[in-house]
Amino acid sequence: MPSRKSNSISRREEILEKAAKLFRKTGYAATTMRMIATATGMEAASLYNHISSKQELLEELLFSVASEFTGGMDRAEKLNAGPLEKLEFLVDLHIDLTLRWPDRIALVTGDWVHLEEPKLSAYTGLRNDYEQRFRSLITEGKKQDEMEDINTELGLFSILSTLHWLYSWLGKHPGLETQKIRKELKQCLLGGLRKSEYTK
Amino acid sequence: MPSRKSNSISRREEILEKAAKLFRKTGYAATTMRMIATATGMEAASLYNHISSKQELLEELLFSVASEFTGGMDRAEKLNAGPLEKLEFLVDLHIDLTLRWPDRIALVTGDWVHLEEPKLSAYTGLRNDYEQRFRSLITEGKKQDEMEDINTELGLFSILSTLHWLYSWLGKHPGLETQKIRKELKQCLLGGLRKSEYTK
DNA sequence: CCTACCGATCGGTAGG
DNA sequence: CCTACCGATCGGTAGG
């Protein structure tokens, strides 16, 4: 009888996965509970035995991703390395998470706006924290003379915007996640910021 | 009596502007005709004297933007210059259009998926054309030895993803559109691709 | 996990 | 440009 409980857990997980896929393709607002139900092979009403609301699905999806990014940033900061190398670690973090959770990551791009208060504030808070720590690495890189004196906000923005869109690109180019691509992406994103004497 | 017709035209334009702003903030699916009506100071039913459907609003907004991008690409290709300089022209094009139509441009990021057939195919066709012409400039830049031998798709993607997100960044940093920022953005986007002997 | 169903709200129309 | 209103569909509940 342990199967009873574990089935319920995996069923919930399945609902989350199907919901993420539908939210990504159709958007949160346009995705109906009936669509999610059909995808998981049950009636809409039955979903509510596993979850409490559509909003809860969005929350769990987004906060699971946010938590992974925060944890990754923790590890980056603890690295015994310079700011530039920490930034390269973060590029790999984004690649790894995008490969693991492409559908969930897609929600970070736009559907988070459908989060309701107070979860919305909590989410944007986590996001701002992450960006602030990212920004500090750029500032530090410039201070330590590893990086060009480019406007910090501009550098931050140009790197993060590409990282946020990785999911759509990796989806269109499957099997392209190689060491070569990882290296070239770092060159695209950081090459314009890196001082030439730091080029590997 | 010319005021009659011109009022009607500007009224339609006003509806489009308000719709764009709401679509951007709330998303197409979650924006109701009643919200658009309130924003323009009329009842929902009255909107239909100026437009025929919610879908039509999305179409007009997206195709007006697409047309500007296509026209800009035409001008870029006619430039008497190398591929790298044409790419820099396109960065300016994106900045210019983003400043002119921040709300419409925002729809390019995600809400275009709510376009219905056959407009959806027409739109993605225009978008693919634009990307193909962008891609050709990168290929040409590598062939003419102006640019590093980096995976073309990766270069294309890293540049366009940042350009697509300009609207959210420019919105958060008003008054930052200076020649200095334009130059630094080109450095961020193209610096990693440009061969060092081509650095200005 | 299902059948049956509800109140709310949606995009849009009729008629003036 | 408004009042009045419609059919469809939404997220969610009751009860088993």
Side-chain angles (χ1 to χ4, degrees):
Chain A
M1 342 276 133
S3 66
R4 177 76 170 283
K5 195 179 179 187
S6 72
N7 267 344
S8 184
I9 288 175
S10 67
R11 204 79 171 115
R12 192 170 200 280
E13 216 46 46
E14 190 191 344
I15 293 169
L16 278 167
E17 287 306 316
K18 301 289 188 187
K21 186 163 288 188
L22 284 163
F23 289 166
R24 171 183 179 174
K25 188 184 160 202
T26 316
Y28 175 78
T31 300
T32 70
M33 296 306 279
R34 281 151 182 88
M35 290 164 70
I36 299 172
T38 300
T40 49
M42 62 175 82
E43 293 301 316
S46 306
L47 290 171
Y48 293 88
N49 288 296
H50 302 96
I51 54 137
S52 69
S53 70
K54 185 185 178 186
Q55 178 73 197
E56 189 192 61
L57 288 172
L58 185 64
E59 289 169 6
E60 192 153 329
L61 257 12
L62 280 168
F63 280 89
S64 65
V65 167
S67 156
E68 290 292 327
F69 275 112
T70 299
M73 181 61 87
D74 290 343
R75 297 202 303 281
E77 288 176 341
K78 277 178 194 148
L79 244 44
N80 184 19
L84 203 47
E85 197 175 326
K86 289 178 182 172
L87 287 171
E88 293 186 343
F89 176 90
L90 289 172
V91 172
D92 277 320
L93 172 69
H94 279 257
I95 293 176
D96 292 338
L97 285 178
T98 302
L99 288 167
R100 178 173 159 205
W101 278 340
D103 299 324
R104 296 187 189 209
I105 298 266
L107 306 180
V108 171
T109 294
D111 263 343
W112 62 269
V113 301
H114 293 111
L115 238 24
E116 292 163 12
E117 294 291 2
K119 294 284 182 178
L120 177 59
S121 293
Y123 180 78
T124 56
L126 287 175
R127 190 180 179 123
N128 288 341
D129 280 348
Y130 184 82
E131 288 181 1
Q132 179 52 42
R133 294 162 82 182
F134 213 111
R135 183 163 22 232
S136 294
L137 287 174
I138 296 177
T139 312
E140 195 58 32
K142 292 200 291 188
K143 196 182 294 177
Q144 296 189 18
D145 225 32
E146 285 183 4
M147 293 164 76
E148 297 281 354
D149 187 30
I150 274 193
N151 183 295
T152 303
E153 293 306 308
L154 199 62
L156 174 70
F157 159 77
S158 78
I159 296 170
L160 283 181
S161 59
T162 299
L163 256 18
H164 282 149
W165 272 89
L166 254 186
Y167 78 90
S168 81
W169 194 73
L170 287 175
K172 276 183 289 186
H173 300 82
L176 219 52
E177 187 268 332
T178 61
Q179 285 308 317
K180 185 155 171 289
I181 289 295
R182 282 181 188 255
K183 190 180 171 187
E184 290 190 357
L185 183 58
K186 285 167 198 156
Q187 169 64 12
C188 285
L189 295 181
L190 303 171
L193 294 168
R194 178 165 33 213
K195 287 226 170 180
S196 47
E197 57 265 38
Y198 281 84
T199 305
K200 309 185 175 186
Chain B
M1 340 271 140
S3 67
R4 177 79 172 281
K5 196 179 179 188
S6 72
N7 267 342
S8 183
I9 289 176
S10 68
R11 204 80 171 113
R12 191 170 199 279
E13 214 49 44
E14 191 191 344
I15 293 170
L16 278 167
E17 287 307 315
K18 301 291 188 185
K21 187 164 287 186
L22 284 163
F23 290 166
R24 172 184 179 174
K25 188 184 160 200
T26 316
Y28 175 78
T31 300
T32 70
M33 296 306 279
R34 281 152 182 86
M35 290 164 71
I36 298 171
T38 299
T40 49
M42 60 175 82
E43 294 301 316
S46 306
L47 290 172
Y48 293 89
N49 288 296
H50 301 96
I51 55 138
S52 70
S53 69
K54 184 185 179 186
Q55 178 73 198
E56 189 193 59
L57 289 172
L58 186 65
E59 288 168 7
E60 193 153 328
L61 257 10
L62 281 168
F63 280 88
S64 66
V65 167
S67 156
E68 291 292 326
F69 276 112
T70 299
M73 181 62 87
D74 290 342
R75 297 201 305 280
E77 288 176 342
K78 277 178 193 149
L79 245 44
N80 185 19
L84 203 46
E85 198 175 325
K86 290 178 181 172
L87 287 171
E88 293 185 343
F89 176 90
L90 289 172
V91 172
D92 278 320
L93 173 70
H94 279 258
I95 294 176
D96 292 338
L97 285 178
T98 302
L99 289 167
R100 177 172 159 204
W101 279 338
D103 298 323
R104 295 186 189 208
I105 298 265
L107 306 179
V108 171
T109 295
D111 263 342
W112 62 270
V113 301
H114 293 112
L115 237 25
E116 293 164 10
E117 294 291 4
K119 294 284 181 178
L120 177 59
S121 294
Y123 180 78
T124 57
L126 287 176
R127 189 181 181 122
N128 288 340
D129 280 348
Y130 185 82
E131 289 181 2
Q132 180 51 42
R133 293 163 83 182
F134 213 111
R135 182 163 22 231
S136 295
L137 287 175
I138 297 177
T139 312
E140 195 57 31
K142 293 200 291 190
K143 196 182 293 175
Q144 296 187 18
D145 225 30
E146 285 183 4
M147 294 165 75
E148 296 282 354
D149 188 29
I150 274 192
N151 183 297
T152 303
E153 293 306 307
L154 200 60
L156 175 70
F157 158 77
S158 78
I159 295 171
L160 283 182
S161 60
T162 299
L163 257 16
H164 281 149
W165 272 88
L166 254 185
Y167 78 90
S168 80
W169 194 72
L170 254 20
K172 276 184 288 185
H173 300 80
L176 220 52
E177 186 268 331
T178 61
Q179 285 306 319
K180 187 157 171 285
I181 289 296
R182 281 181 188 256
K183 191 180 172 187
E184 290 190 358
L185 183 58
K186 286 166 196 156
Q187 169 64 14
C188 283
L189 294 181
L190 303 171
L193 293 167
R194 178 166 33 214
K195 287 226 170 181
S196 46
E197 58 266 39
Y198 281 86
T199 305
K200 310 186 175 187

